[in-house]
Amino acid sequence: MKIAVSATGKGISASIDPRFGRAGYFVIVDADSVQVVDVIDNSIAQNAAHGAGINAATMIVEAGVDSVITGKVGPKAYAVLEAAGIKVIPDCSGTVLDAVEQFKSGTARSADGPTENAHPGRPAGQAGGAGGGMCRRRDMGQGGGGRCGGGFGRRK
Amino acid sequence: MAAAGAAEDLAGENDIFVSDQGLHVMNVAIASGKGGTGKTTVAVSLALAAEMPVWFLDCDVEEPNAHIFLNPSLDTSSRCTLSIPSVVEEKCSYCGKCREICRFNAITVFGQHIMTFPELCHACGGCFLVCPDEALAESEREVGVVERGSSGTVVLVQGRLRVGEAMAPPLIKAVKAEVPAGARLVILDAPPGTSCPVIITVEDADYTLLVTEPTPFGLHDLKLAVGVLRRLDRPFGVIINRSDLGDADVENWCRAQGIRVHMSIPFDRRIAEGYSTGEPLIVTRPDLRPAFEKVLEEVLQS
């Protein structure tokens, strides 16, 4: 049985990346041998203006895993994983190894829905270009995102 | 588009709004980096100061407000929609070509599954072109409505984005498409910021007036807006609102950059009071009319 773990690095001792769609990597671990069998570089999804979760979830599905261990997962990514029959175990932290051990011990609980609400894009400051990715904002420092990367939106 | 046809009909009935002398159309955009600097206030006063008929386009489709000051009878309304894919699953071979071409992850294919995420679709039409199975049918997503009405010598066109819709540019394009050939003066009231909706509004303007205020925040965001117009290589100038508050940094910066400051509007409580009752600045302060006329003259001669 193969498990995908969202991670900040490529190895079994890498930390879990709390974000599913914008995780750095997915470390694919064989649950029986606890060996890393594959690593998915998620940089394409990570840098997508939006739809990162959909992109990441599709790659996970194609990797043929049975379960996903992650931190937070949004509704679009969850919809893809659910359609593919992949079990999602959210709210995990620590290392990839910890999570897999926990999974094997049966204490990890799988999700019956997304852990997050939809959010429309990459948050400010991660868009690469100046000004962040927010399309429109009313006040400084507000969260959220925009459909259009680059530039900044409304603020008063 | 049906709406554009209607605009031509209206123009035919109201010849004063168009020129038959082949005069060059002048598109003047009013923009700003920072919100709340007075774009609509300036745009409305310019429209009312013009000696010729004006097409006033409220391109701030997330919250159009020029109608409050121009008070037209908005008697025409048309829906603005985008063509987005819906899957005819029995024809789909799950080849994944649509997924590959979609830059917005609005459609994905895996195994024997295909899923669409309509709210992410930018309606580029790429998936329709690459699908070898004719498995995608066109369906539509309403982005908002385009409304039009006239008030005196001003025709107001405004977009109202559907609540929940995030994509303003297609609606702004539809608002701009309402202007008939032969219109002489078009004033575009832009949304704030420097993102896509602003670019769409100012990208083909003959001149853009950037309204700012003499504060550190006003200057900071003015610099961003100036960066956009320089990148677009479009002519622009500045209007400083509430010019007697704050500091002289905006003025000094404009001078150092060789940017023309067309007008400085003083702070006046009466202007704010008039605004709060829907009264245009130029009505509250008729003494400023010559200054607005001068700005128009400068812009039209630029």
Side-chain angles (χ1 to χ4, degrees):
Chain A
M1 179 154 116
K2 287 202 288 184
I3 308 165
V5 186
S6 65
T8 56
K10 297 178 181 179
I12 194 90
S13 56
S15 296
I16 290 182
D17 196 320
R19 304 164 303 168
F20 175 78
R22 297 192 189 278
Y25 301 92
F26 291 101
V27 179
I28 315 283
V29 181
D30 179 75
D32 302 320
S33 64
V34 197
Q35 295 292 313
V36 175
V37 291
D38 198 4
V39 176
I40 297 174
D41 181 343
N42 193 42
S43 56
I44 292 175
Q46 198 176 29
N47 293 315
H50 28 68
I54 297 164
N55 197 319
T58 302
M59 285 195 291
I60 293 289
V61 172
E62 291 186 331
V65 305
D66 306 281
S67 301
V68 170
I69 294 176
T70 188
K72 298 172 192 310
V73 62
K76 297 191 191 80
Y78 188 84
V80 171
L81 295 170
E82 189 183 34
I86 293 173
K87 208 157 49 153
V88 180
I89 296 126
D91 301 323
C92 294
S93 54
T95 66
V96 172
L97 181 61
D98 294 341
V100 173
E101 294 292 1
Q102 215 179 338
F103 176 81
K104 285 181 74 174
S105 73
T107 54
R109 282 225 323 262
S110 64
D112 51 9
T115 65
E116 303 299 298
N117 291 323
H119 56 91
R122 187 166 35 187
Q126 294 182 7
M134 279 198 274
C135 228
R136 191 173 184 106
R137 61 184 179 197
R138 247 153 240 297
D139 303 291
M140 288 182 71
Q142 284 283 327
R147 298 282 170 184
C148 322
F152 71 90
R154 175 183 287 260
R155 58 185 179 194
K156 287 190 174 173
Chain B
M1 184 183 287
E8 277 153 30
D9 294 346
L10 180 133
E13 291 159 19
N14 299 272
D15 288 342
I16 59 161
F17 292 114
V18 297
S19 156
D20 55 3
Q21 291 157 33
L23 285 175
H24 177 57
V25 54
M26 189 76 189
N27 291 302
V28 183
I30 319 298
S32 73
K34 186 179 176 300
T37 55
K39 283 178 298 304
T40 302
T41 301
V42 165
V44 165
S45 289
L46 282 175
L48 296 177
E51 281 174 356
M52 64 184 92
V54 175
W55 283 78
F56 189 107
L57 311 186
D58 195 339
C59 297
D60 191 1
V61 300
E62 288 181 51
E63 40 191 24
N65 64 340
H67 67 93
I68 295 169
F69 304 97
L70 292 169
N71 208 20
S73 52
L74 291 169
D75 40 27
T76 313
S77 176
S78 55
R79 291 166 74 234
C80 174
T81 58
L82 296 179
S83 252
I84 64 168
S86 68
V87 178
V88 185
E89 188 123 17
E90 57 272 23
K91 289 189 181 176
C92 181
S93 62
Y94 310 103
C95 70
K97 290 201 167 78
C98 53
R99 182 187 98 191
E100 281 164 33
I101 201 169
C102 185
R103 292 184 57 188
F104 301 98
N105 295 310
I107 190 162
T108 191
V109 180
F110 49 91
Q112 300 288 298
H113 291 278
I114 177 164
M115 295 174 83
T116 60
F117 297 86
E119 69 272 32
L120 295 183
C121 178
H122 283 53
C124 71
C127 55
F128 295 113
L129 294 175
V130 297
C131 178
D133 307 313
E134 295 182 344
L136 297 174
E138 284 193 29
S139 66
E140 62 179 32
R141 180 174 97 227
E142 180 172 329
V143 287
V145 292
V146 176
E147 297 169 321
R148 195 184 63 222
S150 56
S151 165
T153 58
V154 179
V155 179
L156 173 77
V157 184
Q158 68 177 19
R160 268 197 302 118
L161 200 66
R162 177 177 58 80
V163 173
E165 173 60 55
M167 240 172 274
L171 183 56
I172 296 172
K173 282 183 190 166
V175 167
K176 290 169 76 171
E178 291 275 305
V179 178
R184 289 169 61 191
L185 177 59
V186 182
I187 292 179
L188 302 103
D189 191 8
T194 56
S195 58
C196 305
V198 178
I199 310 291
I200 292 288
T201 305
V202 305
E203 66 182 350
D204 50 8
D206 298 292
Y207 200 87
T208 298
L209 288 164
L210 295 171
V211 185
T212 188
E213 59 184 28
T215 61
F217 208 171
L219 177 58
H220 177 270
D221 289 1
L222 174 66
K223 287 177 180 172
L224 296 177
V226 165
V228 167
L229 285 153
R230 285 184 173 154
R231 181 84 176 264
L232 292 170
D233 198 20
R234 306 303 299 173
F236 63 93
V238 164
I239 288 180
I240 304 176
N241 194 11
R242 298 185 281 265
S243 60
D244 43 357
L245 300 180
D247 53 40
D249 289 355
V250 168
E251 211 177 335
N252 292 338
W253 184 78
C254 287
R255 193 178 303 123
Q257 294 282 319
I259 297 168
R260 184 169 190 179
V261 177
H262 291 274
M263 186 182 182
S264 292
I265 303 169
F267 174 76
D268 181 348
R269 190 183 164 87
R270 283 175 297 166
I271 295 173
E273 285 170 359
Y275 178 94
S276 71
T277 63
E279 187 175 87
L281 186 157
I282 205 170
V283 175
T284 311
R285 287 283 305 267
D287 57 305
L288 292 174
R289 175 179 282 267
F292 280 105
E293 288 171 351
K294 188 172 143 282
V295 172
L296 266 182
E297 208 170 291
E298 289 166 1
V299 166
L300 294 174
Q301 284 167 0
S302 67

